[in-house]
Amino acid sequence: MSNQDLERGAAKNPPNSNPTGNYSAPPYHVETSEKQWTAWLVPMFVVANIAMFIVVMYVNNCPKTNLGFGDKCVAGFLGRFSFQPLKENPLLGPSSNTLVKLGALKWDKVVHEHQGWRLLSCIWLHAGIIHLLANMLSLVVIGIRLEQQFGFVRIGIIYLVAGVGGSVMSSLFIQNNISVGASGALFGLLGAMLSELLTNWTIYTNKAAALFTLIVIVAINLAVGILPHVDNFAHIGGFLTGFLLGFVLLIRPQFKWIERHHLPPSAQRVPKYKIYQYILWIVAAILLVAGFTVGLVMLFRGENGNKHCSWCHYLSCVPTSRWDCGN
């Protein structure tokens, strides 16, 4: 990939997983009799991302667009589906021009050419097959469990809205590069898992261990984002969006309220939710609307977030003796 491209790295080792790709049961148990949903939307998202990558590679047509250049296409036997030279894209994928043509996030396209649709389209594009496989593995591990528990409507909303939230934050702070990838949406699912655990705290067992595990996983993945050419602003924006949405969409009734019909008449008058759940719901909803409003207004006014936060660029890349973050 050229040095002006940014990938949104996958959320490595998501909850209930380990570095080998195998994952165990969640470290906590929820005391509820709610039904389990059949997960179909998350698998459809995976299929859609793979199909989109195939379309991108077809449009890219490396043998034709790279004709006359010194470096050869990788896996030339694939014909027009072969990959750009490794010097240009080490992730085995298309060129930057192809990604921009098909909807990659590019600040000047969004602001000056009024192509706001790129805030959503970019989450369906990937920089290469390595990037795609890492993100899709994470999506399967994280997303299917959540969809089984909460259904396709709520998880679909969190995935898409968090993806847009990540794109908005990315556009505010990274204005000279392009950005693609689903990991802003994936971090949204991680954020929703964390807020869901917090707002439904009283119905979980082993919750302290679950909370610690989630925090460590999120911290590790955000730390990976400080490497160059990884769009950590998309990760952070997606995580914050999903975290707030989790308080709004993933709230669970008290276990006693669910089982109230099996209780004595004197004990059946149980409130559906705890007071703290209502408070978290209201605060999260207000912050979510305010955050999106401010972010979108700043974006379409052409504001540069770095001018309002002189140190924020370190959240996405920390320069070392081994690499230079540039802009």
Side-chain angles (χ1 to χ4, degrees):
M1 210 60 174
S2 71
N3 60 6
Q4 290 189 339
D5 298 336
L6 289 173
E7 63 168 271
R8 299 179 179 183
K12 311 284 191 304
N13 303 332
N16 316 327
S17 73
N18 57 43
T20 64
N22 300 317
Y23 60 95
S24 58
Y28 54 87
H29 172 71
V30 57
E31 297 177 352
T32 178
S33 59
E34 292 180 346
K35 69 174 183 178
Q36 290 285 303
W37 298 75
T38 300
W40 63 268
L41 184 64
V42 168
M44 287 298 295
F45 281 163
V46 173
V47 171
N49 276 278
I50 294 174
M52 191 64 205
F53 185 74
I54 294 173
V55 171
V56 169
M57 295 310 303
Y58 178 85
V59 173
N60 187 66
N61 194 5
C62 180
K64 181 179 179 180
T65 57
N66 208 49
L67 190 63
F69 293 90
D71 296 323
K72 294 183 178 180
C73 300
V74 178
F77 63 89
L78 294 175
R80 69 182 299 148
F81 293 97
S82 57
F83 310 114
Q84 293 297 119
L86 291 178
K87 288 184 179 179
E88 181 181 351
N89 188 344
L91 297 175
L92 302 177
S95 68
S96 303
N97 291 334
T98 300
L99 290 171
V100 172
K101 183 189 302 183
L102 294 179
L105 185 63
K106 201 170 190 304
W107 178 80
D108 60 339
K109 296 281 188 184
V110 174
V111 176
H112 299 304
E113 299 183 27
H114 308 293
Q115 297 179 5
W117 51 269
R118 290 179 180 271
L119 296 172
L120 180 61
S121 64
C122 66
I123 73 174
W124 305 99
L125 300 173
H126 287 83
I129 194 167
I130 297 174
H131 188 201
L132 173 71
L133 292 176
N135 271 349
M136 293 306 99
L137 176 61
S138 299
L139 177 56
V140 167
V141 173
I142 301 171
I144 287 182
R145 171 185 167 270
L146 283 173
E147 187 178 351
Q148 287 174 339
Q149 288 192 352
F150 297 100
F152 70 94
V153 173
R154 287 182 280 183
I155 299 309
I157 291 173
I158 292 172
Y159 183 87
L160 295 175
V161 176
V164 173
S167 296
V168 171
M169 179 164 281
S170 175
S171 297
L172 286 173
F173 289 94
I174 300 177
Q175 300 183 349
N176 297 322
N177 306 321
I178 71 170
S179 181
V180 294
S183 58
L186 290 172
F187 269 82
L189 296 181
L190 278 176
M193 288 182 71
L194 181 58
S195 56
E196 187 271 325
L197 175 61
L198 294 174
T199 194
N200 302 317
W201 185 259
T202 58
I203 66 173
Y204 281 110
T205 59
N206 298 327
K207 46 203 172 191
L211 178 61
F212 177 77
T213 301
L214 274 175
I215 291 176
V216 169
I217 290 170
V218 171
I220 291 174
N221 281 282
L222 289 176
V224 171
I226 65 175
L227 297 174
H229 310 306
V230 178
D231 186 356
N232 211 27
F233 286 113
H235 298 173
I236 296 170
F239 176 80
L240 293 176
T241 304
F243 183 70
L244 294 174
L245 277 172
F247 288 118
V248 176
L249 296 179
L250 304 186
I251 184 173
R252 293 179 187 265
Q254 294 187 69
F255 181 70
K256 289 182 178 180
W257 183 87
I258 297 174
E259 300 296 328
R260 66 191 183 283
H261 298 297
H262 304 291
L263 299 174
S266 59
Q268 288 185 4
R269 299 182 63 181
V270 179
K272 187 174 183 179
Y273 301 110
K274 297 275 190 179
I275 294 178
Y276 79 87
Q277 290 178 301
Y278 286 111
I279 295 174
L280 289 174
W281 191 99
I282 294 172
V283 172
I286 293 173
L287 291 176
L288 186 66
V289 172
F292 261 99
T293 302
V294 172
L296 289 171
V297 168
M298 289 181 64
L299 173 60
F300 288 107
R301 287 179 58 184
E303 296 278 352
N304 187 336
N306 293 294
K307 292 183 178 179
H308 301 279
C309 179
S310 59
W311 55 268
C312 284
H313 61 279
Y314 292 118
L315 295 175
S316 189
C317 183
V318 176
T320 69
S321 58
R322 293 179 178 272
W323 63 72
D324 179 20
C325 294
N327 293 324

